[in-house]
Amino acid sequence: MQRPTRQRAAIADAFASQGRPLSPQEVLEIAGAALPALGIATVYRNLKLMTEEGLLRVVTLPGGLPLYEPATHDHHHHFQCNSCRRVFDIQACPGDLKGMAPPGFLVEGHEITLYGQCKDCRSGAGPAA
Amino acid sequence: MQRPTRQRAAIADAFASQGRPLSPQEVLEIAGAALPALGIATVYRNLKLMTEEGLLRVVTLPGGLPLYEPATHDHHHHFQCNSCRRVFDIQACPGDLKGMAPPGFLVEGHEITLYGQCKDCRSGAGPAA
DNA sequence: ATTCGTGCAAACCGTTTGCAGTGCT
DNA sequence: AGCACTGCAAACGGTTTGCACGAAT
């Protein structure tokens, strides 16, 4: 079992404050603002630990680095903005994709990524980053 | 413009012979069987070139390295086997996922990955690799 | 006091690049 | 001959690990 540390808390806070998947670098920057001595190795270690504990989940999108997100929400999907590259959660799910697989293949799960323009970019406001 | 070389041919053949997305390493092994002196750098260079030319396409799946596949087929999706981890093409597409995005978001494209057991693994035959 | 977590720096691994030699035109 | 492509090896960037210090129990 692991101990509650300032670092772990800062990392958890980073996710809570952003509400979207984050890269290790982003976590370092955001959590590092609250805890300047925070090192990248600690971020990686905790991301991996928290993922194994089921607190986080890895989101790997095409052409991008792996992102991490809180595993609190249930089944959902992602939307990546073609302009600002940020990734957002989508709660909707079409369900029932079993029919898509070729005969002989057993479908156990699925993942959907939508691409397009996010609200900010579409309105010309630019990323709210 | 690029010249036709033995290496390029061997790499193209690798994709043609497998009919599924391949990792750079797999390409090296398969094409390297026909052309032993083939180096990994050449594989990477050609994969990148062929991708820029539109001959190949990059497929990035969660938890995996980037894969490459021939860009000949039109819009399609992927199926990854939870047992052997191999990736297969799926021609089906549910289409019309625009309704899934939150208000204010513009959907321009989508990508779907199914997970489960492939034909080989399900039948107990094991990967035909 | 003991044990686990952190920070730093070196190690790693997949990918890219520089350079000299080879093959294609 | 001229130039692109290859192979090797060094360089790179993100991620992981070893080790000694600091924090939590």
Side-chain angles (χ1 to χ4, degrees):
Chain A
M1 206 57 219
Q2 45 292 323
R3 297 167 181 177
T5 67
R6 206 155 307 144
Q7 289 81 350
R8 271 177 82 87
I11 291 172
D13 285 350
F15 286 104
S17 73
Q18 298 297 310
R20 61 181 178 84
L22 300 175
S23 70
Q25 277 306 325
E26 287 177 307
V27 172
L28 176 64
E29 286 157 23
I30 298 170
L35 206 80
L38 183 63
I40 187 68
T42 299
V43 171
Y44 278 106
R45 269 190 286 241
N46 277 304
L47 289 180
K48 179 180 262 194
L49 270 175
M50 293 162 86
T51 301
E52 284 164 4
E53 290 166 28
L55 299 176
L56 297 180
R57 180 180 300 145
V58 185
V59 182
T60 313
L61 296 185
L65 315 170
L67 304 178
Y68 291 79
E69 69 177 0
T72 50
H73 354 321
D74 254 322
H75 179 73
H76 66 280
H77 297 294
H78 297 101
F79 179 104
Q80 181 168 38
C81 178
N82 284 326
S83 292
C84 67
R85 296 280 106 192
R86 287 186 303 173
V87 175
F88 303 85
D89 286 346
I90 292 178
Q91 296 307 323
C93 172
D96 188 28
L97 296 175
K98 302 198 195 308
M100 280 181 65
F105 284 63
L106 175 66
V107 176
E108 297 174 339
H110 69 266
E111 203 159 292
I112 298 176
T113 309
L114 301 182
Y115 298 91
Q117 304 297 322
C118 74
K119 202 167 186 172
D120 290 341
C121 290
R122 197 183 179 190
S123 71
Chain B
M1 205 57 225
Q2 44 290 324
R3 298 166 182 178
T5 67
R6 219 156 296 150
Q7 288 81 350
R8 270 176 84 88
I11 291 173
D13 285 350
F15 285 105
S17 74
Q18 298 297 310
R20 60 181 177 84
L22 300 175
S23 70
Q25 277 306 324
E26 287 177 306
V27 172
L28 176 63
E29 287 157 22
I30 298 170
L35 207 80
L38 183 63
I40 187 68
T42 299
V43 171
Y44 277 107
R45 269 190 286 241
N46 277 305
L47 290 179
K48 180 180 261 192
L49 271 175
M50 294 163 86
T51 301
E52 284 164 4
E53 290 166 29
L55 299 176
L56 296 180
R57 179 181 299 143
V58 185
V59 182
T60 313
L61 296 185
L65 315 171
L67 305 177
Y68 291 79
E69 69 176 359
T72 50
H73 354 320
D74 252 323
H75 179 74
H76 67 279
H77 297 294
H78 296 100
F79 179 103
Q80 180 167 40
C81 177
N82 284 327
S83 294
C84 67
R85 294 281 107 192
R86 287 185 303 172
V87 175
F88 302 85
D89 287 346
I90 292 179
Q91 296 308 323
C93 173
D96 188 29
L97 297 174
K98 303 196 193 311
M100 280 181 65
F105 285 62
L106 174 66
V107 176
E108 297 174 338
H110 69 266
E111 203 160 293
I112 298 177
T113 308
L114 301 182
Y115 298 91
Q117 303 297 322
C118 75
K119 203 167 184 173
D120 290 340
C121 289
R122 197 183 179 191
S123 70

